[in-house]
Amino acid sequence: MLASIDTKSDGLPLPTPEATGDELFRLGLLYSTGQGGAPLDYVSAHMLFNLAAMRGSVEAKVYRKEIADEMATDEVAEAQRQARQWLARG
């Protein structure tokens, strides 16, 4: 488990405010593929790639764009809202 990742009671990882761009990117990969105990969830993946990009992950920018192309507009908006909410809590 990554040092700055918490775990929900159902075993799914949640990023902490200390998570690095690389950690957020790797977590986004889990949600974008439905691996590692994470559900296949493009909204969560986009949120995580967005946060990772903000923390300097160049790869996350590429993946965020690719996944956004597969999502509905309202799903992208929800992912962005969740990213803002996560930042506000940190």
Side-chain angles (χ1 to χ4, degrees):
M1 182 180 293
L2 302 173
S4 58
I5 302 292
D6 283 339
T7 304
K8 284 195 220 177
S9 60
D10 58 4
L12 299 176
L14 286 175
T16 65
E18 299 82 29
T20 66
D22 287 340
E23 290 170 329
L24 292 163
F25 173 72
R26 287 193 298 270
L27 189 54
L29 284 177
L30 295 178
Y31 280 96
S32 69
T33 59
Q35 296 178 351
L40 181 61
D41 181 349
Y42 284 174
V43 172
S44 293
H46 186 287
M47 176 198 77
L48 291 160
F49 290 147
N50 196 21
L51 294 169
M54 293 173 65
R55 298 224 169 147
S57 173
V58 176
E59 289 177 299
K61 292 178 184 180
V62 174
Y63 279 74
R64 178 184 61 194
K65 166 109 177 62
E66 288 179 5
I67 205 165
D69 290 343
E70 302 295 320
M71 298 168 67
T73 305
D74 62 328
E75 292 173 318
V76 173
E78 175 61 20
Q80 292 170 337
R81 186 191 67 74
Q82 288 181 20
R84 285 190 301 273
Q85 193 174 48
W86 184 84
L87 287 168
R89 284 195 315 254

